[in-house]
Amino acid sequence: MDKVAIIMGSDSDLPGLKPAFDTLARFGVPVEAHVYSAHRTPDEAAAFAQSAREAGFGVIIAAAGKAAHLAGALAARTTLPVIGVPMKAGELDGLDALLSTVQMPSGIPVATVAINGAANAALLAIQILAVRDADLAAQLDEARMTARASVLAKNDALREQRKGA
Ligand code: RP5
């Protein structure tokens, strides 16, 4: 199976990325993580992206806060799909990172998830790998069914609670 890379701009992003690590682990997807910054280690970030396909990665998740150029900088150096996670950091609560990550120029796409949307970034990475992996696709179907059952159970509980109200 192709690996997923999780690249973060700082180790201060790590706690917010726990849902991505947990989700990928739940689906048995191999992960390699690095701290590389678009601004503070531009050469290392570029070198990683340039060699990522050959190194066996299928998707790159790139998480950064503030003036978050990491996802775009990696996407500029690879044709692997890059998923950007704008992290809530600093005075603007992630809005700066959201705009910096999502507003890419034509030609270099970054699939941007919500601010601190680490879980969805992982799920999207899994969905990309599942295009060519039937086992992963089946696991995704099962996860959706579990989520559906959980919401319907909450609906039943609510209706029961409000009986006669
Ligand atoms: C970004 O600046 C990082 O991705 C992080 O979200 C934010 C703060 O970094 P540190 O100052 O904590 O290293 O580049």
Side-chain angles (χ1 to χ4, degrees):
M1 188 191 299
D2 284 346
K3 295 180 286 184
V4 171
I6 300 182
I7 312 298
M8 61 203 84
S10 169
D11 61 350
S12 64
D13 297 316
L14 187 56
L17 290 170
K18 188 175 181 308
F21 285 98
D22 291 349
T23 303
L24 289 160
R26 203 168 68 242
F27 282 82
V29 175
V31 177
E32 191 175 305
H34 293 275
V35 177
Y36 290 138
S37 162
H39 305 123
R40 294 179 279 200
T41 62
D43 295 341
E44 289 78 3
F48 178 86
Q50 249 153 6
S51 62
R53 186 184 292 276
E54 214 175 285
F57 292 97
V59 186
I60 297 174
I61 293 173
K66 298 188 174 176
H69 297 122
L70 181 60
L74 296 174
R77 302 280 183 166
T78 181
T79 53
L80 289 177
V82 175
I83 301 170
V85 189
M87 300 303 291
K88 191 170 171 168
E91 292 71 17
L92 299 184
D93 279 345
L95 191 55
D96 42 3
L98 172 64
L99 297 178
S100 305
T101 304
V102 78
Q103 289 289 54
M104 288 297 293
S106 291
I108 309 293
V110 166
T112 306
V113 296
I115 296 169
N116 277 11
N120 268 358
L123 285 171
L124 184 54
I126 293 163
Q127 289 181 205
I128 291 168
L129 297 182
V131 169
R132 286 192 304 150
D133 187 321
D135 284 349
L136 268 187
Q139 281 192 69
L140 284 164
D141 284 342
E142 206 181 305
R144 291 281 177 102
M145 282 192 295
T146 305
R148 175 176 179 270
S150 152
V151 171
L152 292 179
K154 287 174 188 168
N155 180 53
D156 289 348
L158 177 68
R159 289 175 60 82
E160 191 61 36
Q161 213 178 78
R162 297 204 38 90
K163 246 183 200 166

